[in-house]
Amino acid sequence: MSYVDEIYERVVKQNPAQPEFHQAVKEVLDSLRVVIEANEDVYRREALLERLTTPERQVLFRVPWVDDKGQVQVNNAMRIQFNSAIGPYKGGLRLHPSVNLGIIKFLGFEQIFKNSLTGLPIGGGKGGSDFDPKGKSDREVMAFCQSFMTELSKYVSTDTDVPAGDIGTGAREIGYMYGQYKRLTTKYEGVLTGKGLSYGGSLARTEATGYGLLYLTDEMLKCNGVDIKGKTVAVSGSGNVAIYAIEKAQQLGANPVTCSDSTGWVYDPEGIDVALLKEVKEVKRARLTEYAAQRPSAQYHDKASEGTNQWEIKVDIALPCATQNELNIDDAKKLVANGVIAVCEGANMPTTADATEFFQASKVLFVPGKAANAGGVATSALEMSQNSERLSWTFEEVDAKLKDIMVNIYHNIDDASKKYGMEGNYVAGANIAGFLKVADAMMAQGIV
Ligand code: NDP
Ligand code: 2IT
């Protein structure tokens, strides 16, 4: 059996009931075959793939906190410190009731290659909890975040592990966590990114993932002879990534016509009103029904009663920006039948494996999340740099660096796909380019 197949079997056996982790490992290993086979003897002797697919450290802990009724609540939490070959662990914290070990391990594993692709010195990690911030008072969210950080603070620091936001973790949660870290350690240091601008955050970090997604999409389309101007775009999600993807798409002259949340989706043929969307989601923390109520051109669709989603709308570009496996083979068939040109992932692994293959077989330009959404973590690394030198850069400076990074990522994955004989396969290009740097650093550092 090939080394790649052996390792995949080993991962499935050693990590039972973690389907998302298996899926992420399979996608990466499958596209690394040509590289692994060329170096199989050395990699096998060094157990490189065994080490790459096994987290360096996994911290599992409970988070007790008191709700507004005086009842003690207990959540499960974790931080997976996956790989520090090229820098301190870096990656977000997800707060969502669906969080479990397999999901955080898939996210941590993806983060290794994504962070490598940014070209910046950051290793891969991810964390989170099954705590649901939705419907909680600010005091309850603070109580959770303080208790969470009381335990997490033992395992993180500016040079060890630097967490950030992800689903359910935005500026409010990062603020509460940062305050507690400072109180516990007496250190005013950049241990978290995505901080508020008044206490060490970077300009453009809020916008970075969505803007970065569009910078890469624009560059990829240009290099394939397509102008983004005038193209219609379907976006899913209505959180941090989706909002700023929609904003930048409009700035580039495209027309984003959909967004969604966990209960429904909106079709707004005149184009999403970003100011209204920000008001509904960032300020009021309300549902998309509120957006539709205030926007005459918008049609609201309830997911549960209709069984529909935004992928049935005829568009040129699809940008899934909500969560994993939200775009399946039936959705992919609809998008292709409607003539989609490009699919670029704003979320982490939003496209199922069979849908990804279908897009590639249908000659749709497909860029995986580890390349397309790397602008968020890249700008987090720029926030770390600013914190280290105790300076803040202007919005324009950070945005220009972000754009450069995204353009470079596109060319790196495109070059890698060509070099290994898989031109246009950006999944293989991203996995190979991300892997080579990490593998090289792991080999150089010996058996650790
Ligand atoms: P937010 O919490 O800001 O927004 C998430 C959005 O996705 C919301 O609209 C939410 O709807 C929807 N959503 C979340 N979970 C589900 C679900 N299980 N089913 C249906 N809808 C869901 O998160 P972000 O925008 O930060 O993250 C979105 C994606 O982008 C994630 O995959 C994340 O890992 C990835 N990402 C984020 C980065 C960042 O910098 N924030 C960087 C790179 C990737 P509702 O509010 O109803 O739950
Ligand atoms: O998935 C991701 O890359 C993020 N949630 C951002 C991580 C970070 O450290 O900014």
Side-chain angles (χ1 to χ4, degrees):
M1 196 188 289
S2 76
Y3 186 30
V4 158
D5 293 324
E6 248 175 59
I7 292 301
Y8 180 67
E9 279 198 2
R10 176 189 152 103
V11 166
V12 171
K13 200 167 156 210
Q14 292 192 341
N15 303 272
Q18 296 182 2
E20 293 86 359
F21 181 46
H22 305 164
Q23 182 184 342
V25 169
K26 186 165 190 352
E27 185 221 272
V28 170
L29 290 183
D30 274 346
S31 51
L32 289 179
R33 268 176 210 281
V34 35
V35 180
I36 304 293
E37 275 158 22
N39 300 284
E40 182 153 345
D41 289 350
V42 182
Y43 286 166
R44 262 187 194 275
R45 195 179 59 241
E46 301 264 328
L48 189 88
L49 294 183
E50 286 86 338
R51 288 189 284 141
L52 189 70
T53 52
T54 307
E56 288 176 15
R57 189 174 301 103
Q58 309 187 49
V59 185
L60 309 182
F61 54 102
R62 73 168 184 235
V63 183
W65 57 281
V66 183
D67 72 15
D68 285 346
K69 295 187 186 115
Q71 174 66 48
V72 176
Q73 300 287 343
V74 181
N75 286 101
N76 294 317
M78 62 204 76
R79 182 75 183 166
I80 307 303
Q81 299 181 327
F82 221 119
N83 190 298
S84 63
I86 63 169
Y89 311 107
K90 183 84 197 84
L93 296 168
R94 180 171 292 191
L95 300 181
H96 193 272
S98 63
V99 162
N100 60 40
L101 189 54
I103 288 179
I104 299 300
K105 275 162 71 179
F106 117 64
L107 290 163
F109 184 70
E110 288 284 289
Q111 201 82 42
I112 302 169
F113 308 99
K114 181 196 305 192
N115 293 2
S116 167
L117 286 172
T118 66
L120 300 166
I122 38 179
K126 198 86 186 190
S129 169
D130 56 7
F131 173 78
D132 186 359
K134 242 183 252 146
K136 304 287 191 303
S137 68
D138 284 352
R139 194 211 59 81
E140 288 177 320
V141 171
M142 181 172 72
F144 170 83
C145 290
Q146 290 183 339
S147 181
F148 177 80
M149 183 49 90
T150 300
E151 188 59 27
L152 187 69
S153 64
K154 299 166 191 167
Y155 309 98
V156 296
S157 82
T158 40
D159 296 314
T160 315
D161 184 357
V162 182
D166 192 74
I167 291 177
T169 307
R172 174 182 60 172
E173 291 73 18
I174 292 290
Y176 292 146
M177 290 178 194
Y178 189 72
Q180 184 71 353
Y181 180 84
K182 185 164 61 70
R183 186 183 189 197
L184 288 165
T185 61
T186 73
K187 286 191 179 130
Y188 204 104
E189 59 180 25
V191 68
L192 294 168
T193 58
K195 299 185 291 300
L197 297 178
S198 56
Y199 62 95
S202 173
L203 284 158
R205 174 62 187 90
T206 305
E207 294 84 353
T209 312
Y211 278 23
L213 171 66
L214 267 295
Y215 291 145
L216 184 140
T217 303
D218 187 32
E219 181 70 12
M220 180 201 56
L221 289 174
K222 255 186 223 153
C223 293
N224 283 280
V226 180
D227 188 348
I228 196 167
K229 267 205 195 78
K231 298 287 177 293
T232 46
V233 184
V235 174
S236 63
S238 52
N240 175 261
V241 180
I243 288 172
Y244 293 95
I246 290 169
E247 183 166 283
K248 184 52 77 178
Q250 287 176 345
Q251 288 172 11
L252 295 175
N255 186 27
V257 292
T258 71
C259 63
S260 69
D261 63 20
S262 51
T263 44
W265 60 283
V266 157
Y267 175 49
D268 194 342
E270 287 183 12
I272 299 293
D273 178 340
V274 187
L276 176 59
L277 187 62
K278 284 184 189 174
E279 173 70 17
V280 169
K281 286 293 172 185
E282 293 183 337
V283 181
K284 294 188 180 157
R285 299 180 188 274
R287 311 310 301 161
L288 281 176
T289 41
E290 188 135 341
Y291 174 92
Q294 291 184 52
R295 176 89 174 156
S297 55
Q299 302 163 14
Y300 180 78
H301 297 268
D302 181 71
K303 278 188 193 165
S305 63
E306 291 183 19
T308 57
N309 67 29
Q310 62 289 331
W311 308 128
E312 66 180 45
I313 300 295
K314 178 174 166 49
V315 290
D316 304 306
I317 300 166
L319 305 175
C321 297
T323 194
Q324 63 275 356
N325 293 329
E326 54 159 319
L327 197 170
N328 64 26
I329 183 71
D330 296 332
D331 303 322
K333 285 181 179 162
K334 281 183 212 158
L335 283 163
V336 169
N338 282 330
V340 76
I341 304 166
V343 178
C344 299
E345 296 186 323
N348 286 307
M349 206 171 73
T351 314
T352 60
D354 52 354
T356 302
E357 276 167 29
F358 184 74
F359 283 135
Q360 292 180 318
S362 309
K363 301 287 171 230
V364 172
L365 300 166
F366 180 88
V367 186
K370 61 172 71 72
N373 72 35
V377 74
T379 308
S380 277
L382 301 179
E383 183 173 328
M384 290 166 72
S385 298
Q386 292 169 77
N387 292 164
S388 296
E389 62 175 19
R390 298 185 192 285
L391 291 173
S392 332
W393 307 339
T394 62
F395 186 95
E396 290 67 29
E397 204 175 343
V398 180
D399 190 40
K401 286 188 174 29
L402 167 65
K403 190 168 178 186
D404 263 9
I405 291 168
M406 299 313 295
V407 167
N408 277 334
I409 291 176
Y410 169 69
H411 288 286
N412 284 342
I413 67 174
D414 185 43
D415 290 350
S417 76
K418 288 175 180 152
K419 184 170 173 197
Y420 288 91
M422 291 179 274
E423 181 164 356
N425 183 343
Y426 301 130
V427 173
N431 287 328
I432 292 171
F435 166 81
L436 286 173
K437 184 172 156 196
V438 175
D440 186 59
M442 286 176 71
M443 304 280 276
Q445 291 171 32
I447 306 307
V448 292

